[in-house]
Amino acid sequence: MSEEDLLDEPGMQGLRRDLLERALPHYKAFLAESQGNSKLADKVAATWFRIGRIRESSGDVQGAVEAFEEARLLQEKLIKEPSTSQRKEELESQREGALGDTLNAFGKLRSKQNNTLDAMKLFEESYAYREKRAKQSPRNLDLQRAECNTLMNLGLSYVANEDTGNGLERIARAQRRREELLSEFPKSDKLLQEIAEGWYTLGKVTMARGDIEQTNSYLSKSTDAFEELYQLNKTSLRIQSEYGVALRLLGVTYCEQGEPDRALEFLKRAVPLTQRLADANPEVLAYRIEAGQLAIDLASSHAATEDWNESERWWQKGIEVQRALLLDQPKDPRIRRDLADCLSGIASVYEARGSLALAAARTQEAIQLLEELISEDPQSESIQEALDQNRENLKRLRTN
């Protein structure tokens, strides 16, 4: 497995850190040995880039920022230097490609830091270099994919900066180009995966805008592409994870459209993928959180069909998952909020069955969690709304 694959494949965090951090002393030794040697400047810049990736992977964000900045400054200097090499054009293209890679990685790091304006500028610069190289080599699939990926990142940075229109335009443009490439390179699994992820991204953005019909269309395309990928490679944790999430979100859109039976078709398809990942990789918190979210969505959809037995089963599953997560992350507000939602949800099932004492007990537990959360985040309207609703529910249950 390549360094790039190790950095991207989920569920391999421990091995990834160990392998990459073992390389770090060698990279640092090379930097010390090559200091002042202009003939090694390109390799020095590439080394700083790799150090940035390693530090980012190990959670050393500031160290990654410093390494990427070193790489960028040196690469920008190299691009400006006149070259006397017989391979002048090739060397210039390689240097521009290296700088484009650094700027793209730096932009992704800034996005993770929620420094969205800086990220957008970095992606803009990266895209200029990657677009140029892609035009120079139209049959080089890796360069075409790199251009599309940065254009997608740039679109997401526009969305993060509340310019959704321009963001969607760039994301959709990247997606159209990927589909064109797939007709030229139909056997590229990586390209197919990026197409599946692109449809998923478009679905997430349009979902946030409240455009459920368009979201449904994009997520349907995403799940179709992920299904094809999954049949080609059933061992990839990343494909399984993204496929399961896409299925769940598609189910959510159908439920919001008032089609809970249709929603359950997709939610049930997500269960074996999501549960298998959570069970086999308990150290990956994201897999367990996703399993808990799937349980919530299944419980809600079954409640919409008034299948109280299945709704109770999935609410109870959700409660179990959230309580297990709290053992590892006792202060995580998202987990506590999800647990409150599960308790409130199962209370509604008990009330529908006439078990008012049980309903009141679960509602009281939900209120206690929500009161803790609102004390920590008093400006949260959604928490306050949930708290008010549960208090009203408890009052009604005790009155009856």
Side-chain angles (χ1 to χ4, degrees):
M1 183 177 286
S2 68
E3 178 180 291
E4 186 69 23
D5 290 335
L6 282 169
L7 285 167
D8 289 339
E9 182 74 3
M12 301 291 286
Q13 285 84 349
L15 174 63
R16 179 171 64 195
R17 281 194 298 271
D18 289 345
L19 290 176
L20 294 177
E21 287 180 2
R22 282 182 204 171
L24 194 55
H26 300 288
Y27 289 141
K28 289 181 177 179
F30 171 75
L31 290 176
E33 294 168 3
S34 59
Q35 192 170 10
N37 189 338
S38 61
K39 293 181 179 179
L40 295 176
D42 290 286
K43 291 184 178 179
V44 169
T47 299
W48 276 117
F49 172 75
R50 294 189 185 99
I51 289 173
R53 296 295 302 271
I54 292 169
R55 286 176 173 170
E56 180 183 2
S57 177
S58 63
D60 180 5
V61 175
Q62 186 55 40
V65 168
E66 292 169 0
F68 285 143
E69 192 61 50
E70 289 282 354
R72 177 172 73 166
L73 291 173
L74 184 50
Q75 287 163 343
E76 287 174 342
K77 180 181 177 182
L78 287 168
I79 284 176
K80 294 175 183 176
E81 285 184 356
S83 174
T84 57
S85 170
Q86 293 180 346
R87 299 168 43 245
K88 178 181 177 180
E89 290 186 4
E90 181 183 349
L91 181 61
E92 288 178 352
S93 179
Q94 288 175 351
R95 285 174 171 175
E96 289 175 349
L99 178 54
D101 292 345
T102 297
L103 292 167
N104 186 69
F106 204 174
K108 290 168 72 174
L109 179 60
R110 287 303 198 196
S111 293
K112 292 178 184 176
Q113 294 177 290
N114 292 319
N115 191 335
T116 55
L117 283 173
D118 198 12
M120 187 164 64
K121 293 175 184 176
L122 289 163
F123 288 135
E124 289 275 17
E125 293 179 51
S126 175
Y127 181 66
Y129 288 114
R130 286 187 161 187
E131 182 185 32
K132 180 180 177 181
R133 294 200 80 206
K135 287 179 178 178
Q136 291 171 340
S137 304
R139 293 298 300 169
N140 186 317
L141 179 58
D142 288 339
L143 295 182
Q144 306 303 315
R145 288 177 48 236
E147 178 196 3
C148 292
N149 291 343
T150 299
L151 185 56
M152 180 76 71
N153 292 336
L154 180 58
L156 287 170
S157 71
Y158 270 94
V159 173
N161 283 291
E162 299 184 358
D163 188 352
T164 306
N166 277 316
L168 278 172
E169 185 276 327
R170 285 160 174 77
I171 296 169
R173 181 148 49 98
Q175 196 67 356
R176 287 194 299 271
R177 179 58 182 144
R178 285 170 174 161
E179 291 198 299
E180 292 172 0
L181 289 169
L182 191 63
S183 66
E184 300 175 43
F185 304 93
K187 295 184 179 181
S188 172
D189 292 352
K190 287 186 176 180
L191 181 57
L192 181 60
Q193 182 166 342
E194 286 160 1
I195 287 173
E197 291 169 348
W199 291 128
Y200 171 79
T201 299
L202 281 164
K204 287 276 286 184
V205 173
T206 52
M207 178 181 280
R209 295 185 85 183
D211 188 346
I212 298 301
E213 184 175 346
Q214 189 64 74
T215 298
N216 188 290
S217 174
Y218 287 143
L219 290 176
S220 293
K221 291 179 179 180
S222 177
T223 55
D224 288 345
F226 275 125
E227 172 62 23
E228 184 177 348
L229 275 168
Y230 181 61
Q231 294 305 322
L232 292 171
N233 184 1
K234 293 188 175 183
T235 62
S236 169
L237 301 179
R238 178 171 173 173
I239 291 172
Q240 291 178 62
S241 174
E242 293 178 341
Y243 184 23
V245 174
L247 286 167
R248 179 178 66 78
L249 289 181
L250 183 54
V252 169
T253 66
Y254 275 112
C255 197
E256 291 181 357
Q257 289 176 304
E259 300 182 56
D261 289 321
R262 185 80 170 124
L264 286 167
E265 292 179 28
F266 292 99
L267 294 172
K268 289 176 180 178
R269 282 173 59 188
V271 171
L273 292 164
T274 304
Q275 197 59 55
R276 183 164 56 243
L277 284 172
D279 291 343
N281 305 276
E283 75 283 0
V284 183
L285 193 67
Y287 293 161
R288 294 161 61 197
I289 289 174
E290 178 59 23
Q293 192 59 60
L294 178 58
I296 291 172
D297 293 331
L298 278 161
S300 298
S301 295
H302 280 297
T305 66
E306 298 187 359
D307 185 342
W308 304 120
N309 288 336
E310 281 299 291
S311 183
E312 179 186 6
R313 182 168 77 89
W314 283 108
W315 282 128
Q316 191 58 51
K317 173 70 174 177
I319 291 170
E320 292 170 4
V321 171
Q322 304 307 330
R323 283 181 170 158
L325 285 167
L326 280 178
L327 294 176
D328 295 327
Q329 302 286 330
K331 297 297 183 181
D332 191 306
R334 177 182 171 181
I335 295 171
R336 286 184 288 160
R337 175 60 192 274
D338 285 346
L339 177 55
D341 288 345
C342 289
L343 291 165
S344 180
I346 204 168
S348 67
V349 173
Y350 291 146
E351 183 179 9
R353 288 174 165 171
S355 302
L356 303 186
L358 281 174
R362 297 294 85 78
T363 303
Q364 184 61 62
E365 290 181 62
I367 290 171
Q368 182 178 347
L369 283 167
L370 291 166
E371 286 176 340
E372 292 174 3
L373 288 167
I374 200 65
S375 69
E376 296 166 12
D377 186 8
Q379 302 303 316
S380 174
E381 294 181 5
S382 64
I383 295 174
Q384 187 61 58
E385 183 179 342
L387 179 57
D388 292 343
Q389 184 61 60
N390 275 275
R391 284 171 173 166
E392 283 292 322
N393 293 344
L394 184 60
K395 182 178 179 180
R396 183 184 66 254
L397 290 165
R398 286 176 171 170
T399 301
N400 293 337

